[in-house]
Amino acid sequence: MEIASLTIDKIRAGLLARSFRAEELAAEALGFAEEANPKTGAYLHFSPERALAAARRVDEKIARGEDPGPLAGVPVAVKDVIVTSGIRTTCGSRLLEHYVPPYDATAIIRLEEAGGLILGKTNCDEFAMGSSTENSAFGPVRNPVAPDRVPGGSSGGSAAAVAQGTAVVALGSDTGGSIRQPASFCGVSGVTPTYGRVSRYGLTAFASSLDHIGPFARTVKDAARVLGVIAGRDPRDSTSAEAPVPDYTKALDGNVRGLKLGLPREYLKDLTSESGSLIHRGVDVLQQLGCEVREIGLPHTDYAIATYYVIATAEASSNLARYDGVRYTFRSADSATLAEMYRNTRGDGFGAECKRRIMLGTYVLSAGYYDAYYLKAQKVRSLIARDFSQAFAEVDAVVAPVSPFPAFRLGEKVDDPLAMYLSDIFTITGSLAGIPCMSVPCGRTAEGLPVGMQILTRHFDEATMFRIADAFERAGGVN
Amino acid sequence: MKISEQEVRYVAGLANLRLSDAEVARFQADLDQILSHIDKLNELDTDKAAPMSQVLFETGDTATLRLDVIVPPLGNQAALANAPESGAGYFKVPKVIER
């Protein structure tokens, strides 16, 4: 079995033809992943018992002649910010190194009910704060395409696992680009669905008005299938949306003729890099497929980073307050008082980036600053969202870069937090608007580094996003 | 400087974060740089803009409410399983005294 080239359809066909059993596939996939993992460090730990038990349930269903589910036997990697009952969930943090959650995230329950096999948990920036996975307390992840480079972040381990072939699909989380940017750096598809499309029950909260769970896959179709499984209303997440979940694979017929695509002039004006020229070539391909392309304006783009880093850090400073040394495993020794225990635990437990964001978030929410920062940013956020709703009155989708540059070298940007923040410009706007957006592979630079093209659509119109990405993939992308 | 060393220490206190002197210096410089960038927001007149306090989607007022149905709770043992220190069915913490 060639684990690294499996797709959801191939696995299903093999299982139903009795070419292999899910349990055999699980054992082989686990063996391959454990052997290949030292090259990238994509996984923090594996969950063989759980994967094998899930595989046996798939085999039993097949033996009884039942449908084994849309993700039957599919090896899945899960970012270690999504809780898994009985399996350590560290969030890439020293604070949670030994934390074993007592419950499963809704996305995990849905994946397993659909027949998916959870192989293990993937490395990420601490509490999903970062753009390179270098902020993990457990060491960085190497990009499988170029081992001296980062996989992107914060869901770098999930992107690397799918790119390396040690998982067929993966789950990540995205607050300002943490799925799309690593997908683009590693050359796979990564999807941030509409805000509210997927339940966040069991996703460790970073910035609650911006957090999403979404899939990674090597094909657009596989990403669409995973989203179809995990999407939909969940009574345990009051922010999950009631909207019906269509069968996304029905949109994957290659027909994009007549779709109107908008190119934001604010994104492309300064983008003269190789990444920019690949995006232009990608747009040419879509035009040849029958899309109508026009320039659009997203005039508040320049304010997105500032808006995001106020809102996201304010919410993070509140969400991370729960790590106080009382409930979640880690407590600093030798504190005489409760207050001292809080300060010591948090001072010892959080890494530099988390501390920086807690400090910024606490500052912007502190007495006298709320209106000047948080309220102001919320107002600008509504202007950024309005930019998109005005654009979508004219076009069916917006096509954009994911990152100003391809994967950078390990260590290259760690010392300049603002520069790292500024590199999130193309992904943050869509996050603030709460619209669906994905990265689809769009060729490679002369050095062989993958570049991703971003496709953004109206709220709850993931189908059109997948339609365009799939047609682009079918046409061979660029190169 | 947008933020003084004293303010950095004050904010760290609000956030219950113990910082070393080196961290205080580092975060003062970092926050200064980031807050200077954030000042950009003041270029915009937002008097007529409503704050986006909800990520909007069309839904009824009560659509986000779940049914009031009793579900089994986590249970004392499971809830305490990750506690650094527990006893008699409770989380244990150091003595609480005034700061």
Side-chain angles (χ1 to χ4, degrees):
Chain A
M1 217 178 307
E2 196 57 57
I3 301 281
S5 63
L6 287 174
T7 63
I8 294 174
D9 284 346
K10 278 189 203 168
I11 293 169
R12 186 178 179 84
L15 289 172
L16 295 180
R18 311 286 212 269
S19 308
F20 50 81
R21 289 182 301 113
E23 194 176 354
E24 290 166 345
L25 171 60
E28 203 166 322
L30 281 161
F32 175 60
E34 289 184 45
E35 190 191 305
N37 196 46
K39 285 183 213 150
T40 58
Y43 290 85
L44 288 171
H45 41 271
F46 293 94
S47 46
E49 282 136 33
R50 186 146 176 176
L52 291 166
R56 282 192 289 272
R57 288 197 297 273
V58 169
D59 287 332
E60 283 160 18
K61 280 190 180 168
I62 294 172
R64 288 197 299 265
E66 295 169 21
D67 188 315
L71 300 180
V74 175
V76 186
V78 176
K79 185 179 184 182
D80 211 19
V81 293
I82 300 173
V83 301
T84 40
S85 179
I87 303 168
R88 267 194 314 135
T89 301
T90 67
C91 298
S93 180
R94 187 68 61 206
L95 266 168
L96 296 180
E97 188 174 0
H98 304 292
Y99 175 63
V100 180
Y103 69 105
D104 278 321
T106 297
I108 297 294
I109 293 172
R110 290 184 178 172
L111 273 180
E112 285 193 337
E113 278 175 359
L117 318 176
I118 291 157
L119 296 191
K121 306 296 291 290
T122 57
N123 203 353
C124 55
D125 286 301
E126 186 176 9
F127 290 105
M129 295 178 181
S131 310
S132 67
T133 312
E134 290 164 296
N135 296 332
S136 168
F138 308 111
V141 174
R142 294 179 178 277
N143 191 318
V145 180
D148 60 331
R149 289 174 188 265
V150 302
S154 66
S155 311
S158 285
V162 171
Q164 198 182 8
T166 55
V168 174
V169 298
L171 291 186
S173 69
D174 193 313
T175 303
S178 283
I179 290 175
R180 289 159 283 160
Q181 187 252 25
S184 78
F185 279 17
C186 293
V188 299
S189 284
V191 178
T192 309
T194 309
Y195 183 81
R197 177 84 286 186
V198 175
S199 166
R200 284 102 49 88
Y201 181 73
L203 170 65
T204 309
F206 160 12
S208 303
S209 77
L210 293 156
D211 290 341
H212 304 69
I213 290 178
F216 289 93
R218 288 189 293 273
T219 66
V220 174
K221 191 178 190 183
D222 280 0
R225 282 199 196 286
V226 176
L227 184 63
V229 165
I230 61 175
R233 170 75 183 160
D234 172 16
R236 288 187 287 198
D237 175 3
S238 64
T239 62
S240 66
E242 220 36 273
V245 181
D247 178 354
Y248 296 122
T249 59
K250 289 212 174 107
L252 311 184
D253 60 9
N255 182 13
V256 291
R257 195 155 292 282
L259 280 180
K260 296 185 187 71
L261 306 183
L263 281 183
R265 65 180 73 90
E266 293 81 2
Y267 290 19
L268 294 163
K269 66 176 194 294
D270 300 322
L271 196 70
T272 50
S273 63
E274 238 184 317
S275 299
S277 62
L278 283 165
I279 298 301
H280 282 295
R281 284 175 56 197
V283 172
D284 290 345
V285 171
L286 289 170
Q287 211 157 10
Q288 282 153 23
L289 292 171
C291 293
E292 294 170 25
V293 178
R294 63 180 76 171
E295 239 187 47
I296 55 158
L298 296 172
H300 296 93
T301 298
D302 264 358
Y303 303 95
I305 300 280
T307 302
Y308 175 85
Y309 278 94
V310 172
I311 292 173
T313 59
E315 294 180 10
S317 72
S318 168
N319 278 323
L320 297 184
R322 75 194 65 191
Y323 304 106
D324 55 7
V326 179
R327 290 156 292 167
Y328 301 101
T329 64
F330 181 81
R331 173 185 294 183
S332 292
D334 303 327
S335 304
T337 67
L338 184 64
E340 209 176 282
M341 185 198 81
Y342 293 157
R343 288 196 294 272
N344 291 341
T345 297
R346 293 162 63 78
D348 293 339
F350 285 122
E353 184 59 30
C354 284
K355 286 181 185 169
R356 186 179 293 118
R357 295 201 196 191
I358 290 169
M359 289 293 291
L360 180 59
T362 305
Y363 178 82
V364 300
L365 290 177
S366 64
Y369 291 118
Y370 179 87
D371 285 3
Y373 288 108
Y374 192 68
L375 189 65
K376 180 80 182 180
Q378 281 189 312
K379 288 179 173 182
V380 180
R381 184 176 182 181
S382 74
L383 299 178
I384 291 167
R386 197 183 62 193
D387 282 357
F388 278 101
S389 53
Q390 285 172 346
F392 288 129
E394 279 181 57
V395 296
D396 299 301
V398 172
V399 175
V402 175
S403 169
F405 36 70
F408 45 88
R409 288 195 171 74
L410 286 157
E412 192 179 322
K413 293 189 196 290
V414 283
D415 290 329
D416 189 348
L418 183 61
M420 194 81 105
Y421 296 174
L422 292 173
S423 72
D424 297 337
I425 178 63
F426 302 130
T427 50
I428 270 177
T429 47
S431 304
L432 288 167
I435 56 176
C437 20
M438 72 177 287
S439 174
V440 62
C442 185
R444 294 189 175 204
T445 65
E447 272 185 286
L449 300 173
V451 168
M453 176 166 72
Q454 194 177 193
I455 301 165
L456 309 92
T457 52
R458 299 179 182 99
H459 287 111
F460 296 105
D461 191 13
E462 282 86 0
T464 299
M465 174 187 79
F466 284 131
R467 174 183 293 278
I468 296 165
D470 168 72
F472 182 68
E473 185 181 78
R474 281 165 192 258
V478 305
N479 293 358
Chain B
M1 275 292 190
K2 297 280 300 172
I3 182 166
S4 67
E5 186 196 315
Q6 200 186 350
E7 277 179 297
V8 171
R9 292 187 190 278
Y10 169 71
V11 170
L14 291 177
N16 278 312
L17 270 181
R18 194 201 61 221
L19 298 181
S20 66
D21 290 344
E23 283 176 318
V24 169
R26 173 78 209 251
F27 290 144
Q28 189 188 352
D30 289 347
L31 294 187
D32 178 63
Q33 197 190 16
I34 297 161
L35 289 168
S36 300
H37 176 78
I38 289 172
D39 272 349
K40 208 178 163 55
L41 297 180
N42 295 325
E43 292 169 11
L44 287 174
D45 177 3
T46 51
D47 283 353
K48 292 197 183 92
M52 187 165 158
S53 47
Q54 293 291 326
V55 186
L56 296 174
F57 46 80
E58 296 298 323
T59 187
D61 285 346
T62 58
T64 56
L65 301 179
R66 62 172 168 75
L67 293 173
D68 187 15
V69 179
I70 296 171
V71 292
L74 199 53
N76 188 276
Q77 214 183 341
L80 289 172
N82 285 293
E85 225 188 317
S86 65
Y90 294 96
F91 293 97
K92 280 175 89 170
V93 296
K95 197 159 66 173
V96 181
I97 56 166
E98 276 187 25
R99 270 202 211 177

